Amino acid sequence: MCGIVGYSGQKNSLMILLDGLRRLEYRGYDSSGIAIKDNDKIYNRKAVGEIKELEAKIGDKQIEGNVGIAHTRWATHGTPTEANAHPHCDCQGKIWLVHNGIIENHQKLKKQLQKEGHKFSSETDTEVVAHLIEKYYQGDLAQALKKSLHDIEGAYSFVAFHKDEPSRLVAVKKGSPLVLGLAEDGVIVASDVTAIIKQTRDVIYLEDEEIVDINGSNFDIFNLANEYKKKKAMYVDWSIEQLEKNGYPHFMLKEICGQPETVTDSLRGRLVAEEGNVKLGGLDNIAKELNDMKDLISVACGTAYYACLVGEYMLEEYADLSTKSIVGSEFRYRKYCFNKNSVILGVSQSGETADTLTAIKEANKKYITTLGIVNVVSSSVARATTAGIYNHIGPEIAVASTKAFTSQLVTLSLLTVYLGRIRNMSFPMGQRIVQELEKLQEKISKVLENEEKIAGIAKKYYQVPNFAFLGRKYNYPIALEGALKLKEISYIHAEGFAGGEIKHGSLALIDKNFPSIFLVPEDSVYEKNLGNIQEIKARGGNVIAITTEGNKEVAGIVDEVIYIPKTLEMLTPILSVIPLQLFAYHMAVIKGKDVDKPRNLAKSVTVE
Ligand code: G6P
């Protein structure tokens, strides 16, 4: 993995492929490569590092060729080297392919192919497939690829071409995303719609085990049983501006500062204040299942998982619903006591995270109703779930998730009102939540006014190697998310704790060199939090506090204070996380880190 672009059409493919790769940069990668059919030759270049290194290798060379493939790689098998970068080819340099995913039985296949005389030039699992296709090739690339799939175990999306089949590109997917873009001049195939929308907005999402056979502007889609599939294109309404920085130095800052608007986008058309309720059209088809639901199990990874933890507090307190959250990678391997009235909720910005998707598929096998909270329309999680709620916040580009997180919290609060109102939630309670949701845009804007102050705090603390993040109840998951943000982009060690838990061991870490960031809004656990702050101060620890506007008490005890406006307790996380996002951002900027593309990480992890 990580990013795939392929093109076959009337235009010169080089610029289309490079533009696609640049648009996929946000996903994180460590090397890249390109292969283009240039008359009867193959033009191939690879580079370690950023796309500009690849561009430097290509230089001013005029490359003809209307068919090509390109890839950004995020190392899984083999270090980031030119040899390991995609595209990979067979022994004769005729079959070229790019791949996302993992071939689980690659070692066994490689040994077998080596015995049969194939010579390998990389350490990757991907190269095995180029040689497998070579083994089965009898003049028809699609048929050879199909035969190879019988031998392969794992998750994949491939795009391949053969030197002797002039304008043909063949692609297939299973467990890793692939989208076709239908432009006037040709067909572009990519792992992510962001790589396509400059060329066209008409796209087709491929399903698992569908093969697309592209010839210039024509294409056919088949399944493994050779049955022809007729698929309708859908229109993507993301704008190019949404994909650009619009004057911000980094996508992450643009996305943090855009939260007043994105939160509003997630609420648009969904609040019905006069009924103390919300409208969620995406849930209509499972109204009965939601009525009968006895418990909800949320599944997600990373930041989305922390959103689910906040959701647990919301749904239990206001919707009287037993809820638990499980990280996607654990779901399959634990035994859970589901019943026929359980519902599984997958939360995922990209809708492509393999661990989350696998959990949803596992639930589908058990005939459990599945729901999704997803940003990317028609992504794999959206398609695999029975019903769902879209975030509607446009593309999130920075690897560290920010606007998707606040939108997930907003969406979970909408779900809380929806489920609460079909259970015990009163009309006035529903109305209060709805009215508070309406005020979020203005309140988030107020929190963002603290940016300069937060940048100043980051300047004071940027050399500190460890941080503790603490909070209770609704703000406990926010402590976990604050620590994750700092780790992800500034590479500073940070741990999140439940405020009351630190005294059971981790307090031993605290001294004057180990500061804490404490979430202490005026809520139902405020007094208890004050007690924990005193414990830290008594051990010489510095404390940066996030508290409610107008509060004087906290300021009297701690070293730095950041204020957030008052809101309902269940909605405080939507405000309190923003100073932590800004803090992580400014720490990373001062330390000179690559904010949008942190080392070792990928935006959407499509392998388990
Ligand atoms: C990756 C990203 C995280 C993200 C997680 C879940 O690990 O680096 O920022 O929170 O995936 O992503 P999803 O798209 O499923 O929300």
Side-chain angles (χ1 to χ4, degrees):
M1 55 181 250
C2 181
I4 287 179
V5 199
Y7 175 80
S8 167
Q10 290 145 26
K11 282 193 180 162
N12 182 305
S13 61
L14 178 67
M15 288 308 146
I16 294 175
L17 295 175
L18 285 176
D19 180 73
L21 286 188
R22 277 192 294 268
R23 291 183 193 279
L24 292 176
E25 277 196 280
Y26 77 96
R27 300 171 67 98
Y29 66 101
D30 46 48
S31 50
S32 61
I34 198 160
I36 292 175
K37 280 198 236 184
D38 187 354
N39 296 313
D40 57 347
K41 286 196 257 13
I42 303 293
Y43 178 80
N44 167 234
R45 286 290 177 279
K46 297 177 180 186
V48 174
E50 298 191 22
I51 305 292
K52 56 181 187 228
E53 309 296 337
L54 180 66
E55 288 170 331
K57 291 216 160 159
I58 297 169
D60 299 333
K61 187 166 166 43
Q62 290 298 311
I63 299 147
E64 301 294 323
N66 306 339
V67 178
I69 53 178
H71 190 263
T72 48
R73 174 172 185 255
W74 187 73
T76 54
H77 293 82
T79 46
T81 58
E82 274 188 34
N84 288 335
H86 302 208
H88 289 287
C89 67
D90 64 335
C91 300
Q92 303 173 63
K94 287 194 163 187
I95 296 157
W96 289 80
L97 111 167
V98 288
H99 162 226
N100 277 355
I102 288 182
I103 310 299
E104 282 162 8
N105 58 339
H106 71 106
Q107 268 162 337
K108 195 172 139 211
L109 292 172
K110 187 170 180 175
K111 265 193 206 140
Q112 180 59 33
L113 287 160
Q114 278 170 328
K115 259 196 223 153
E116 292 167 14
H118 291 263
K119 298 268 175 289
F120 282 77
S121 45
S122 80
E123 306 158 280
T124 63
D125 52 340
T126 305
E127 195 189 344
V128 167
V129 185
H131 292 276
L132 258 187
I133 299 176
E134 180 179 27
K135 172 175 163 178
Y136 292 123
Y137 188 77
Q138 289 181 332
D140 184 334
L141 180 61
Q143 290 310 316
L145 175 62
K146 223 169 68 185
K147 272 196 181 152
S148 310
L149 298 182
H150 290 298
D151 297 352
I152 295 169
E153 287 163 21
Y156 49 75
S157 49
F158 297 115
V159 185
F161 67 66
H162 193 293
K163 189 169 170 260
D164 300 340
E165 298 188 53
S167 53
R168 194 177 199 189
L169 263 191
V170 179
V172 64
K173 70 146 263 167
K174 183 182 167 196
S176 183
L178 215 49
V179 197
L180 282 191
L182 315 180
E184 275 176 19
D185 52 78
V187 176
I188 174 162
V189 53
S191 52
D192 182 328
V193 75
T194 49
I196 291 179
I197 65 165
K198 189 165 173 217
Q199 314 303 330
T200 175
R201 277 145 192 295
D202 295 320
V203 304
I204 292 178
Y205 285 87
L206 290 182
E207 297 297 333
D208 279 355
E209 300 191 329
E210 284 180 344
I211 298 178
V212 55
D213 192 349
I214 306 166
N215 265 295
S217 299
N218 302 318
F219 67 93
D220 287 317
I221 301 174
F222 298 93
N223 62 16
L224 292 187
N226 265 347
E227 289 161 344
Y228 177 73
K229 295 273 193 133
K230 201 166 165 30
K231 301 190 70 148
K232 250 178 88 183
M234 56 172 287
Y235 186 80
V236 179
D237 58 4
W238 287 356
S239 67
I240 293 285
E241 294 71 55
Q242 281 179 306
L243 292 175
E244 283 167 359
K245 287 189 198 144
N246 285 347
Y248 284 94
H250 299 100
F251 282 111
M252 184 179 178
L253 188 61
K254 178 191 166 202
E255 285 160 5
I256 293 173
C257 294
Q259 288 175 108
E261 291 76 36
T262 47
V263 156
T264 308
D265 290 341
S266 297
L267 292 173
R268 184 160 298 118
R270 289 170 165 172
L271 302 179
V272 194
E274 57 287 3
E275 288 173 24
N277 211 338
V278 301
K279 233 179 18 213
L280 295 170
L283 302 187
D284 286 350
N285 64 334
I286 55 158
K288 185 181 174 324
E289 287 86 340
L290 295 179
N291 225 350
D292 298 343
M293 168 172 40
K294 292 278 178 300
D295 62 337
L296 180 79
I297 298 145
S298 311
V299 189
C301 302
T303 290
Y305 171 67
Y306 295 145
C308 292
L309 292 182
V310 178
E312 275 184 31
Y313 287 91
M314 293 179 178
L315 288 157
E316 291 193 336
E317 186 163 0
Y318 291 97
D320 284 336
L321 184 68
S322 160
T323 312
K324 72 180 157 209
S325 309
I326 301 166
V327 285
S329 53
E330 286 296 309
F331 185 87
R332 239 179 164 189
Y333 307 103
R334 251 173 92 170
K335 184 171 185 300
Y336 288 103
C337 303
F338 304 114
N339 59 61
K340 69 176 177 36
N341 292 327
S342 299
V343 171
I344 305 282
L345 167 69
V347 180
S348 173
Q349 186 285 126
S350 61
E352 301 297 349
T353 300
D355 289 327
T356 307
L357 184 60
T358 316
I360 299 284
K361 287 186 174 166
E362 188 71 24
N364 285 341
K365 276 188 208 150
K366 295 180 164 64
Y367 302 106
I368 296 168
T369 305
T370 52
L371 264 184
I373 293 184
V374 174
N375 186 35
V376 180
V377 174
S378 290
S379 55
S380 300
V381 172
R383 282 177 285 137
T385 42
T386 326
I389 314 172
Y390 279 121
N391 296 100
H392 292 310
I393 54 165
E396 187 179 66
I397 306 288
V399 166
S401 180
T402 53
K403 66 173 185 175
F405 182 68
T406 46
S407 170
Q408 283 156 355
L409 296 180
V410 161
T411 318
L412 284 161
S413 58
L414 291 173
L415 185 64
T416 303
V417 176
Y418 183 95
L419 296 176
R421 293 289 282 133
I422 52 179
R423 290 178 167 69
N424 293 334
M425 187 186 286
S426 66
F427 162 71
M429 190 65 238
Q431 197 168 48
R432 250 198 96 203
I433 299 174
V434 166
Q435 283 165 349
E436 274 303 318
L437 285 167
E438 279 171 339
K439 293 180 196 152
L440 276 178
Q441 172 161 20
E442 196 189 322
K443 292 185 179 180
I444 295 174
S445 301
K446 280 211 89 180
V447 181
L448 289 169
E449 287 170 12
N450 286 299
E451 190 191 342
E452 223 179 285
K453 180 168 190 189
I454 295 168
I457 299 175
K459 236 183 226 155
K460 271 197 215 166
Y461 284 86
Y462 79 98
Q463 281 168 321
V464 173
N466 300 293
F467 277 87
F469 284 73
L470 298 110
R472 277 177 186 251
K473 206 175 164 188
Y474 285 99
N475 280 292
Y476 165 42
I478 301 305
L480 300 176
E481 170 61 6
L484 179 65
K485 281 287 93 74
L486 192 62
K487 284 185 276 197
E488 271 181 303
I489 57 165
S490 71
Y491 320 148
I492 293 172
H493 171 243
E495 270 190 80
F497 300 101
E501 184 62 14
I502 191 166
K503 60 184 177 295
H504 298 294
S506 307
L507 195 58
L509 293 170
I510 299 296
D511 63 13
K512 64 178 179 11
N513 301 316
F514 201 127
S516 304
I517 301 199
F518 217 119
L519 295 142
V520 52
E522 288 175 6
D523 58 10
S524 62
V525 287
Y526 172 73
E527 297 293 340
K528 293 275 181 235
N529 275 334
L530 278 189
N532 298 135
I533 293 179
Q534 299 284 13
E535 284 158 9
I536 292 171
K537 289 304 299 173
R539 270 88 188 165
N542 278 8
V543 175
I544 302 165
I546 319 292
T547 190
T548 311
E549 249 167 24
N551 179 298
K552 300 242 163 42
E553 196 171 18
V554 173
I557 320 171
V558 303
D559 302 272
E560 314 280 351
V561 193
I562 301 157
Y563 290 106
I564 58 170
K566 177 117 194 112
T567 183
L568 272 183
E569 181 172 9
M570 73 173 252
L571 302 180
T572 51
I574 300 166
L575 303 180
S576 64
V577 74
I578 293 170
L580 308 190
Q581 296 169 344
L582 285 169
F583 181 70
Y585 172 78
H586 283 287
M587 292 287 270
V589 170
I590 297 168
K591 291 176 86 70
K593 304 298 181 205
D594 190 349
V595 174
D596 287 335
K597 286 171 267 148
R599 71 181 182 200
N600 307 340
L601 299 180
K603 178 70 184 157
S604 148
V605 183
T606 52
V607 291
E608 280 180 61

Short mmCIF file of all heavy atoms in Angstrom, two decimals, residues 465-487:
data_model
loop_
_atom_site.label_atom_id
_atom_site.label_comp_id
_atom_site.label_asym_id
_atom_site.label_seq_id
_atom_site.Cartn_x
_atom_site.Cartn_y
_atom_site.Cartn_z
N PRO A 465 9.98 16.17 26.97
CA PRO A 465 9.85 14.90 26.24
C PRO A 465 8.59 14.08 26.57
O PRO A 465 8.28 13.12 25.86
CB PRO A 465 11.10 14.12 26.67
CG PRO A 465 11.46 14.68 28.01
CD PRO A 465 10.99 16.11 28.04
N ASN A 466 7.90 14.40 27.66
CA ASN A 466 6.72 13.58 28.07
C ASN A 466 5.57 14.48 28.53
O ASN A 466 5.81 15.48 29.19
CB ASN A 466 7.09 12.72 29.30
CG ASN A 466 8.22 11.78 29.00
OD1 ASN A 466 8.09 10.86 28.22
ND2 ASN A 466 9.37 12.03 29.63
N PHE A 467 4.39 14.06 28.22
CA PHE A 467 3.19 14.77 28.70
C PHE A 467 2.15 13.78 29.18
O PHE A 467 1.99 12.71 28.58
CB PHE A 467 2.54 15.58 27.56
CG PHE A 467 3.16 16.91 27.33
CD1 PHE A 467 4.25 17.04 26.48
CD2 PHE A 467 2.67 18.04 27.97
CE1 PHE A 467 4.83 18.27 26.25
CE2 PHE A 467 3.24 19.29 27.75
CZ PHE A 467 4.34 19.40 26.88
N ALA A 468 1.42 14.18 30.24
CA ALA A 468 0.24 13.41 30.64
C ALA A 468 -0.99 14.24 30.23
O ALA A 468 -0.98 15.46 30.35
CB ALA A 468 0.24 13.19 32.14
N PHE A 469 -2.02 13.56 29.73
CA PHE A 469 -3.30 14.22 29.40
C PHE A 469 -4.35 13.58 30.30
O PHE A 469 -4.45 12.35 30.36
CB PHE A 469 -3.67 13.99 27.94
CG PHE A 469 -2.89 14.83 26.97
CD1 PHE A 469 -1.56 14.55 26.70
CD2 PHE A 469 -3.49 15.91 26.33
CE1 PHE A 469 -0.84 15.33 25.81
CE2 PHE A 469 -2.78 16.69 25.42
CZ PHE A 469 -1.46 16.40 25.17
N LEU A 470 -5.11 14.42 31.00
CA LEU A 470 -6.09 13.87 31.95
C LEU A 470 -7.47 14.48 31.79
O LEU A 470 -7.60 15.66 31.49
CB LEU A 470 -5.61 14.13 33.38
CG LEU A 470 -4.29 13.47 33.75
CD1 LEU A 470 -3.20 14.50 33.91
CD2 LEU A 470 -4.44 12.68 35.02
N GLY A 471 -8.47 13.65 32.05
CA GLY A 471 -9.85 14.13 32.03
C GLY A 471 -10.74 13.03 32.59
O GLY A 471 -10.33 11.87 32.67
N ARG A 472 -11.93 13.41 33.01
CA ARG A 472 -12.88 12.42 33.53
C ARG A 472 -14.13 12.40 32.67
O ARG A 472 -14.45 13.36 31.99
CB ARG A 472 -13.32 12.81 34.95
CG ARG A 472 -12.36 12.39 36.03
CD ARG A 472 -12.88 12.91 37.36
NE ARG A 472 -11.90 12.63 38.41
CZ ARG A 472 -12.08 11.73 39.37
NH1 ARG A 472 -13.20 11.02 39.44
NH2 ARG A 472 -11.15 11.55 40.27
N LYS A 473 -14.85 11.30 32.74
CA LYS A 473 -16.16 11.14 32.11
C LYS A 473 -16.08 11.53 30.64
O LYS A 473 -15.23 11.02 29.93
CB LYS A 473 -17.20 11.95 32.90
CG LYS A 473 -18.61 11.42 32.78
CD LYS A 473 -19.57 12.19 33.66
CE LYS A 473 -21.00 11.93 33.25
NZ LYS A 473 -21.94 12.78 33.96
N TYR A 474 -16.88 12.46 30.15
CA TYR A 474 -16.88 12.79 28.73
C TYR A 474 -15.49 13.23 28.23
O TYR A 474 -15.19 13.11 27.05
CB TYR A 474 -17.86 13.92 28.43
CG TYR A 474 -19.30 13.47 28.46
CD1 TYR A 474 -20.09 13.67 29.58
CD2 TYR A 474 -19.85 12.83 27.35
CE1 TYR A 474 -21.40 13.25 29.61
CE2 TYR A 474 -21.16 12.40 27.36
CZ TYR A 474 -21.94 12.61 28.50
OH TYR A 474 -23.24 12.18 28.50
N ASN A 475 -14.70 13.77 29.12
CA ASN A 475 -13.40 14.28 28.70
C ASN A 475 -12.25 13.30 28.92
O ASN A 475 -11.11 13.63 28.60
CB ASN A 475 -13.12 15.63 29.36
CG ASN A 475 -13.87 16.74 28.63
OD1 ASN A 475 -13.55 17.05 27.48
ND2 ASN A 475 -14.90 17.27 29.27
N TYR A 476 -12.57 12.11 29.40
CA TYR A 476 -11.52 11.09 29.49
C TYR A 476 -11.07 10.67 28.08
O TYR A 476 -9.86 10.71 27.76
CB TYR A 476 -12.02 9.92 30.35
CG TYR A 476 -11.19 8.66 30.23
CD1 TYR A 476 -9.80 8.70 30.18
CD2 TYR A 476 -11.81 7.41 30.16
CE1 TYR A 476 -9.04 7.53 30.06
CE2 TYR A 476 -11.06 6.23 30.04
CZ TYR A 476 -9.69 6.31 29.98
OH TYR A 476 -8.94 5.17 29.85
N PRO A 477 -12.01 10.32 27.17
CA PRO A 477 -11.55 10.01 25.81
C PRO A 477 -10.83 11.18 25.13
O PRO A 477 -10.00 10.99 24.26
CB PRO A 477 -12.85 9.68 25.06
CG PRO A 477 -13.84 9.32 26.13
CD PRO A 477 -13.48 10.12 27.33
N ILE A 478 -11.16 12.40 25.56
CA ILE A 478 -10.50 13.57 24.95
C ILE A 478 -9.04 13.63 25.42
O ILE A 478 -8.14 14.05 24.68
CB ILE A 478 -11.26 14.88 25.28
CG1 ILE A 478 -12.68 14.77 24.75
CG2 ILE A 478 -10.57 16.11 24.69
CD1 ILE A 478 -12.82 14.43 23.28
N ALA A 479 -8.79 13.19 26.65
CA ALA A 479 -7.41 13.10 27.13
C ALA A 479 -6.65 12.09 26.26
O ALA A 479 -5.50 12.32 25.85
CB ALA A 479 -7.39 12.67 28.60
N LEU A 480 -7.30 10.98 25.94
CA LEU A 480 -6.65 9.96 25.09
C LEU A 480 -6.38 10.54 23.69
O LEU A 480 -5.31 10.34 23.11
CB LEU A 480 -7.54 8.72 24.97
CG LEU A 480 -7.88 7.99 26.29
CD1 LEU A 480 -8.84 6.83 26.02
CD2 LEU A 480 -6.62 7.48 26.98
N GLU A 481 -7.34 11.27 23.16
CA GLU A 481 -7.20 11.85 21.82
C GLU A 481 -6.13 12.95 21.81
O GLU A 481 -5.34 13.05 20.87
CB GLU A 481 -8.56 12.39 21.34
CG GLU A 481 -8.55 13.24 20.08
CD GLU A 481 -8.05 12.53 18.82
OE1 GLU A 481 -7.78 11.32 18.86
OE2 GLU A 481 -7.88 13.22 17.80
N GLY A 482 -6.09 13.75 22.88
CA GLY A 482 -5.07 14.81 22.97
C GLY A 482 -3.67 14.22 22.96
O GLY A 482 -2.75 14.71 22.28
N ALA A 483 -3.50 13.11 23.71
CA ALA A 483 -2.19 12.45 23.75
C ALA A 483 -1.84 11.87 22.38
O ALA A 483 -0.70 11.98 21.91
CB ALA A 483 -2.21 11.35 24.82
N LEU A 484 -2.84 11.28 21.73
CA LEU A 484 -2.59 10.69 20.40
C LEU A 484 -2.17 11.76 19.40
O LEU A 484 -1.21 11.57 18.64
CB LEU A 484 -3.85 9.97 19.90
CG LEU A 484 -3.75 9.32 18.52
CD1 LEU A 484 -2.74 8.18 18.51
CD2 LEU A 484 -5.10 8.79 18.04
N LYS A 485 -2.86 12.91 19.42
CA LYS A 485 -2.51 13.99 18.47
C LYS A 485 -1.06 14.40 18.66
O LYS A 485 -0.32 14.59 17.70
CB LYS A 485 -3.41 15.23 18.68
CG LYS A 485 -4.77 15.19 18.11
CD LYS A 485 -4.87 15.32 16.61
CE LYS A 485 -4.88 13.99 15.95
NZ LYS A 485 -6.03 13.17 16.00
N LEU A 486 -0.65 14.57 19.94
CA LEU A 486 0.73 15.03 20.19
C LEU A 486 1.75 13.99 19.71
O LEU A 486 2.74 14.32 19.07
CB LEU A 486 0.90 15.32 21.69
CG LEU A 486 2.17 16.05 22.07
CD1 LEU A 486 2.23 17.44 21.43
CD2 LEU A 486 2.31 16.19 23.59
N LYS A 487 1.46 12.72 20.01
CA LYS A 487 2.38 11.65 19.57
C LYS A 487 2.47 11.62 18.04
O LYS A 487 3.55 11.56 17.48
CB LYS A 487 1.85 10.28 20.03
CG LYS A 487 2.06 10.01 21.50
CD LYS A 487 1.62 8.61 21.87
CE LYS A 487 0.15 8.53 22.14
NZ LYS A 487 -0.28 7.33 22.86
#
